[in-house]
Each structure stands twice: as structure tokens, then as C-alpha cells.
Amino acid sequence: MTIQTIIEMIGYFGSILVIVSMLMTSVVKLRIINTIGSVIFCGYAICIHSYPTAAMQLCLIAINIINLYKLMNTKKEYKAVMVKSEDGFLNHFLDENFADISRFFPDCSKPLPEDSVILIMCGQNPVGVFVSSPENADSPDSLNIKIDYTTPAYRDTSAAKFLFAHLKSQGIKKVSAKTIIPTHKRYLKKMGFEHIDDKYVRNL
């Protein structure tokens, strides 16, 4: 394998990373992967003496770093708003995000009147919804999670951490969830849930 072939492979790899970054639903992941791809592609451009291309990649790297800094250092202020299952705004939010919600909760349905429903707000924007029911009549402080959804732009776990802290402040001691979705399993483990029998459990 010649040096020229290796350089071209590096260039292709950098280009692929930039393209893949555009498929990310998380803005933070998009910026990080895009930056890595731009760094690699910048190195490739320098190797082939394409300095205008290298300059453009340096600009993209700088833009990504600035935006990542803003994302990491902008404090998000969340609020938990209790709503009823028939709330019009809630149902509009569920309808608008139905396809994405179904990826993680394929058996999801509209909340029942007896369900507890929390809309998570960031400023004036709805960014998530939490639907649950008591584990049983004798355990109102233990909840079964039906839906725990956050929109893609807020999947940095900050909304989830706020939610569980809020539930704890309301006297909830345990939450549990069932899932067969690998992505959801990874999220639950990341948030401190333990796999017990056929469900995931977290003590608050």
C-alpha cells in the first residue's frame, strides 16, 4: 500500500465522519463527531496541498468548538408541569413526536386518566414527557414508567437528572421500567437503573 493510498483513505475517513455527524440526533454528538472529521479532513487537505480546503476545515473546527463551549456552559432551567391525560397541549406534543417516541416505547399509547403525566419544560419549550402509574395501590411512592421521553436536542441526560430529582422531592422512592429496546436499556443503565428480574429499577 502506497503513501498516496493511505492519505486518500484518511481523506475518505474524515469525509465519512463529517457525513455521519449529520445523522446524529444529539447536537453535542453532532458537533463532536463533526469536529473529529474536520480535523482528519484538514490533515488530508494539508497533505495534498489543498490549502483553501484546509482553511475551510479550520474554520469549521473553530465554529464547532465555540458552539460546543456554549452548549456545555449554558445552564438549562427545567420545570416539571403536571398535566391531565386529556390536556390538548400534551396530546399535540405526543402526536408531533409519535414516531420518535415509538422508537423507544413501541407499545406506547395515549396516557390513561389514572396515569400521572409530567411535561418537562425548558423555558417556554416542551422538551420531554414522563408518564407513569403507581406500582400498586399500596405503593404510591413506587412508579412504573410508561413513557420517559426527551426530544433529541435535550438528550444530554440533564432533563432526566432534573426529572428524577423532582420525583424524589415529591416523595417518590422507586421507579421501574420494562424495555426490550437496546438504546433504552443503555439509557436506563446510564441513569443508574439496575436490571432486576424482568425490569429495570432505580431507587431515588
Side-chain angles (χ1 to χ4, degrees), residues 122-150:
C122 185
Q124 297 181 349
N125 301 315
V127 301
V129 62
F130 181 82
V131 181
S132 63
S133 60
E135 190 170 42
N136 57 63
D138 298 325
S139 302
D141 57 358
S142 297
L143 300 179
N144 284 322
I145 299 172
K146 292 186 173 182
I147 300 176
D148 176 14
Y149 173 77
T150 307

Side-chain angles (χ1 to χ4, degrees), residues 93-150:
F93 180 82
L94 293 173
D95 289 340
E96 288 294 307
N97 294 282
F98 178 77
D100 197 32
I101 293 173
S102 297
R103 290 175 54 218
F104 307 100
F105 305 92
D107 299 326
C108 71
S109 58
K110 290 293 180 71
L112 301 174
E114 60 268 25
D115 288 335
S116 173
V117 185
I118 298 174
L119 268 179
I120 304 169
M121 308 290 294
C122 185
Q124 297 181 349
N125 301 315
V127 301
V129 62
F130 181 82
V131 181
S132 63
S133 60
E135 190 170 42
N136 57 63
D138 298 325
S139 302
D141 57 358
S142 297
L143 300 179
N144 284 322
I145 299 172
K146 292 186 173 182
I147 300 176
D148 176 14
Y149 173 77
T150 307

